Amino acid sequence: MEALGRHILVEFYNCSPELMNDVVHIEKSMVEAAETAGATVINSTFHHFSPYGVSGVVVIQESHLAIHTWPEFGYAAVDLFTCGDSVNPWVSYQFLEKAFKASHGSSMECRRGQMGLLDRKDFNIDALRNTQAKPYDHPVKFTRDVWFTERDENIALSLKHDGQLYKKESPYQKVEVFATQAYGNMLTLDGMVMCTQKDEYVYHEMITHVPMHSHGNVKRALVIGGGDGGTVRELLRHENLEEVVLVEIDALVIEACKEFLPETASAFGHPKLKLLVEDGIKYINECKDEAFDLIIVDSADPVGPGEGLFTAEFYSQVYRCLTANGIMVTQSESPRFNANVFAEIYDCYKGIFGPDKVHCYLAAIPTYPTGTWSFSFSAKGNAHPLQFDKEKAAQFSVEQNLKYYNEDIHAAAFALPNFVKQLLKK
Ligand code: SAM
């Protein structure tokens, strides 16, 4: 008999007690189990009980997956509930059995909402949506309550969105674009926010105009990463530039941004731009000495394909490829969100460029974890971030109608709070 949904009641036995108590692992596994089965994840909420045990739910467009664990017995009770035929819950079963290192599982499938027992009600669907459910003084429009959440163990950022516009797996990462309600279209890689239409200008104006005005005569610039296009868009505002080379490893990032973040990707057709889809590490290793006046490392976090972009080997190659008065600028993570990585990479820069040649500056980026983000400025020669032509910078900011960068922000960004100075041991 046809049914509305499939409900599989699962019991996993002899799972690892540690895993049964690891709320982060369990949530990640349950979300991936849903996605692997072809489901669209809407939201997830998980709770870690004291002293042990985990409970949680993953809401999917096709219903939900739920779990409760008893680490002391190495046991997990799981509900896999799906409606429609697009999702096969047994795929989630197999995924979780491996993820929880269960010796075995038992299961029972129930068909929920058997059609033969149901009478379809004649109702007006719009009325359901526009119901004056509560005593509001205005009609209430029920919208789809769908949230994208980027989180780590302790911090999460959620953005309400109207749907996923793009979702593809590349050989390097999961590339997605969401239509957020507050920040426009948003590019994420492996579930981490890369840029949004509403605040990308902060990152892209600060990672470019600070070094461009500090150097004053950049002819050739190299961008490693930056496949969204925002960094080269800003660089190519500077007419004296002769060539910009962009080396992005993932063609899907460029494809997604051309279609769904067109303002950010607006300079991909620029005549001075040389766009290469290859690994930036391979490119820099094969690059000639002193080839660039400015090298910008516009990478994602030090995970996946970007991990190698946070190493002494890589930065030493960057140093070699800079002209005598060249500058390297990198996105250097958040001194709040990942203080250890932040402190380590600055030690690394100083080891290569010299302790007095490395400077840190900050910017406020609302959709990045904690909203406080940093950039590093390392000079091979005598360039100094606070020795720049303020009038020229002011004029440029007005002429280019910039939304964040100006001569005052340029200088102020290097004024660091004490906790950051502590991290940099200044
Ligand atoms: N603003 C973002 C941030 O701070 O997280 C970074 C944006 S940009 C999209 C990062 C880009 O670096 C991604 O498109 C990623 O594919 C690219 N990338 C990562 N590793 C790379 C590598 N080894 N060579 C070239 N590009 C790389």
Side-chain angles (χ1 to χ4, degrees):
M1 183 188 298
E2 205 199 338
L4 294 174
R6 306 171 70 180
H7 187 178
I8 304 179
L9 292 86
V10 179
E11 318 226 281
F12 286 126
Y13 298 99
N14 296 328
C15 307
S16 122
E18 288 70 31
L19 285 182
M20 287 301 97
N21 200 38
D22 182 339
V23 65
V24 174
H25 174 77
I26 290 172
E27 175 161 16
K28 192 166 174 294
S29 306
M30 291 286 284
V31 168
E32 280 181 34
E35 289 176 337
T36 311
T40 300
V41 172
I42 289 180
N43 213 341
S44 60
T45 181
F46 280 71
H47 180 72
H48 189 222
F49 293 97
S50 175
Y52 44 69
V54 170
S55 228
V57 177
V58 179
V59 178
I60 55 178
Q61 207 150 291
E62 304 80 4
S63 191
H64 66 272
L65 286 67
I67 185 169
H68 190 83
T69 70
W70 285 260
E72 70 275 32
F73 297 109
Y75 169 75
V78 176
D79 285 309
L80 307 172
F81 196 127
T82 61
C83 53
D85 300 323
S86 60
V87 174
N88 177 355
W90 289 107
V91 172
S92 303
Y93 176 98
Q94 279 142 11
F95 184 95
L96 291 172
E97 190 169 37
K98 281 205 197 79
F100 298 158
K101 297 196 172 78
S103 66
H104 65 288
S106 71
S107 57
M108 181 172 68
E109 176 163 353
C110 313
R111 295 287 167 151
R112 309 296 296 269
Q114 313 217 10
M115 297 308 285
L117 304 173
L118 298 169
D119 296 329
R120 192 174 186 87
K121 305 298 175 211
D122 183 14
F123 71 102
N124 169 349
I125 193 163
D126 287 333
L128 270 190
R129 282 230 171 100
N130 294 333
T131 311
Q132 185 103 2
K134 295 191 184 108
Y136 292 103
D137 54 9
H138 54 79
V140 179
K141 183 160 184 54
F142 287 96
T143 59
R144 285 181 56 199
D145 185 14
V146 183
W147 294 79
F148 162 89
T149 298
E150 176 182 347
R151 72 174 69 203
D152 79 342
E153 287 81 67
N154 312 310
I155 296 177
L157 169 85
S158 293
L159 290 153
K160 201 169 185 179
H161 68 86
D162 294 328
Q164 199 167 36
L165 303 170
Y166 184 96
K167 178 181 181 180
K168 289 189 185 173
E169 288 274 351
S170 79
Y172 311 102
Q173 54 211 347
K174 185 166 64 177
V175 182
E176 295 172 290
V177 177
F178 295 86
T180 74
Q181 295 187 2
Y183 281 87
N185 292 351
M186 172 177 73
L187 169 74
T188 68
L189 299 178
D190 286 342
M192 294 177 279
V193 177
M194 289 298 120
C195 57
T196 77
Q197 286 176 312
K198 285 277 172 56
D199 70 356
E200 55 86 5
Y201 61 85
V202 181
Y203 178 97
H204 293 124
E205 290 183 13
M206 291 303 276
I207 203 168
T208 53
H209 305 315
V210 168
M212 286 300 289
H213 284 286
S214 303
H215 186 285
N217 188 26
V218 172
K219 294 296 179 216
R220 298 192 73 237
L222 168 65
V223 177
I224 293 185
D228 51 73
T231 297
V232 292
R233 178 197 64 205
E234 292 305 315
L235 280 174
L236 290 160
R237 290 178 188 275
H238 296 263
E239 283 157 10
N240 301 348
L241 258 173
E242 290 165 5
E243 185 181 34
V244 176
V245 178
L246 171 64
V247 182
E248 162 60 54
I249 199 169
D250 195 335
L252 293 189
V253 173
I254 297 169
E255 175 189 283
C257 292
K258 276 184 175 171
E259 189 173 357
F260 296 108
L261 287 95
E263 320 79 23
T264 313
S266 56
F268 277 136
H270 195 288
K272 290 182 180 176
L273 177 65
K274 187 174 171 192
L275 174 55
L276 303 172
V277 177
E278 68 174 85
D279 185 344
I281 298 163
K282 177 174 174 296
Y283 180 87
I284 204 80
N285 291 345
E286 295 165 1
C287 178
K288 285 205 307 306
D289 293 3
E290 303 212 4
F292 293 99
D293 304 304
L294 173 61
I295 298 178
I296 296 178
V297 186
D298 178 1
S299 68
D301 298 329
V303 290
E307 201 165 351
L309 302 176
F310 289 78
T311 61
E313 296 72 38
F314 173 74
Y315 297 132
S316 306
Q317 290 293 346
V318 170
Y319 185 93
R320 177 183 61 75
C321 300
L322 283 170
T323 51
N325 200 31
I327 297 170
M328 173 184 83
V329 163
T330 72
Q331 73 86 358
S332 54
E333 300 292 316
S334 166
R336 280 201 186 287
F337 182 58
N338 26 33
N340 298 340
V341 173
F342 175 83
E344 277 160 28
I345 48 178
Y346 273 85
D347 281 349
C348 195
Y349 302 145
K350 290 174 193 163
I352 293 159
F353 286 82
D356 304 333
K357 301 284 185 164
V358 176
H359 309 269
C360 170
Y361 60 109
L362 303 178
I365 305 176
T367 56
Y368 280 9
T370 74
T372 303
W373 212 253
S374 78
F375 303 91
S376 73
F377 178 111
S378 303
K380 183 173 180 177
N382 301 322
H384 190 286
L386 298 180
Q387 286 156 16
F388 66 103
D389 182 333
K390 285 193 171 44
E391 272 171 41
K392 212 167 158 202
Q395 188 189 351
F396 179 85
S397 172
V398 173
E399 279 168 6
Q400 297 293 328
N401 193 21
L402 300 182
K403 290 189 272 187
Y404 194 89
Y405 176 88
N406 59 43
E407 71 285 7
D408 298 326
I409 277 284
H410 179 140
F414 290 86
L416 303 176
N418 290 344
F419 84 92
V420 177
K421 287 185 178 177
Q422 284 310 322
L423 285 171
L424 296 169
K425 299 188 193 70
K426 269 198 181 169

